[in-house]
């Protein structure tokens, strides 16, 4: 069994990565032999979809596959072969970061046919867990349309791979030391209090989600 964890934050040890790490601990609590394939997306060099349509061309050897050759090629194949997928991501400008969007274009578009009903070529239902972290409070996320944007992205994932579970860590602590940055709109004291109270709960939710995915895989 292999679970792929994609950390879509450029930071390898901050909110998103810590939540993903806790998820993997949950997985291992159920079965320590599950292979965790951890991918830091920002270490890879790749582009978004090139609109070549090789994935849709009649008779193409790339039908249903992305033809672009770069660092994402192997990752896309690994996702096709894995047993579970975790995508951890910060929210950038109200949605997932552009880099993750580039990956999703290549993964989801190649597997979506233009047949009536847009049949998925993925061929099975993959357990998918989305883990989000964002600066906003739940109210700000709702007001800013972030949750709508998340839902749209998840609809595409659901159609092609399988309906994702999701968890969200709101109001994250963005800097290790707020005093070093020019920040007027956040109160460090409030952020620290929220983090102290809430982040352990978010980590626990990630742990439980990891256990949940592993239990389903071994049911
Ligand atoms: C370029 C950029 C854009 C951001 N845009 C948003 C945003 O629109 N809404 C939000 O709530 N947080 C936004 N944030 C904050 C991050 O989503 C938040 O700090 C997140 O927890 C960072 O994840 P990390 O600690 O794993 O890197 C942004 C951060 C950056 C660097």
């Amino acid at each position: 069994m292999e679970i792929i964890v994609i950390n879509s934050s450029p930071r390898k040890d901050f909110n998103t990565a810590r939540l993903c790490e806790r998820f993997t601990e949950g997985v291992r609590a159920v079965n320590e032999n599950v292979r965790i394939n951890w991918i830091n997306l920002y270490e890879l060099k790749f582009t978004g979809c090139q609109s070549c349509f090789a994935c849709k061309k009649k008779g193409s050897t790339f039908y249903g596959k992305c033809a672009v050759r770069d660092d994402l090629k192997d990752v896309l194949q690994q996702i096709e072969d894995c047993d579970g997928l975790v995508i951890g991501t910060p929210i950038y400008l109200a949605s997932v970061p552009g880099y993750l969007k580039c990956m999703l274009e290549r993964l989801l578009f190649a597997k979506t046919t233009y047949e009536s009903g847009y049949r998925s070529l993925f061929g099975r239902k993959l357990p998918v867990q989305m883990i989000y972290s964002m600066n906003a409070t739940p109210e700000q996320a709702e007001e800013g349309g972030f949750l709508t944007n998340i839902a749209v992205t998840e609809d595409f994932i659901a159609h092609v791979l399988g309906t994702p579970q999701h968890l969200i860590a709101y109001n994250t602590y963005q800097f290790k030391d707020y005093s070093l940055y020019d920040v007027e709109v956040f109160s460090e004291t409030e952020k620290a209090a929220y983090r102290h109270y809430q982040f352990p709960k978010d980590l626990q939710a990630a742990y439980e989600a990891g256990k949940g995915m592993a239990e389903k895989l071994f049911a």
Side-chain angles (χ1 to χ4, degrees), residues 181-193:
Y181 300 89
D182 192 13
V183 179
E184 212 174 61
V185 292
F186 309 116
S187 145
E188 182 180 8
T189 318
E190 275 170 29
K191 281 261 185 207

Side-chain angles (χ1 to χ4, degrees), residues 69-125:
R69 316 279 85 181
D70 58 19
D71 286 0
L72 206 58
K73 174 178 165 280
D74 289 346
V75 174
L76 296 178
Q77 187 58 52
Q78 286 162 21
I79 292 173
E80 274 206 71
D81 298 337
C82 77
D83 301 290
L85 175 65
V86 181
I87 300 178
T89 179
I91 291 298
Y92 283 1
L93 305 185
S95 190
V96 298
Y99 221 47
L100 175 58
K101 191 91 187 321
C102 285
M103 188 200 94
L104 292 174
E105 288 168 10
R106 302 260 303 272
L107 172 67
L108 303 178
F109 186 71
K111 291 283 172 225
T112 306
T113 64
Y114 275 162
E115 292 171 12
S116 118
Y118 301 91
R119 184 170 66 92
S120 165
L121 293 170
F122 194 70
R124 65 195 169 102
K125 292 289 173 207

Side-chain angles (χ1 to χ4, degrees), residues 9 11 14-17 90-94 133-136 146 172 174:
S9 168
R11 304 198 287 187
F14 235 73
N15 297 290
T16 311
I91 291 298
Y92 283 1
L93 305 185
S133 78
M134 63 176 83
N135 234 334
F146 307 174
T172 51
Q174 198 169 10

Side-chain angles (χ1 to χ4, degrees), residues 148-168:
T148 308
N149 295 342
I150 283 173
V152 170
T153 302
E154 289 187 0
D155 277 351
F156 278 104
I157 293 171
H159 180 73
V160 177
L161 304 178
T163 305
Q165 304 289 309
H166 88 201
L167 67 88
I168 303 178

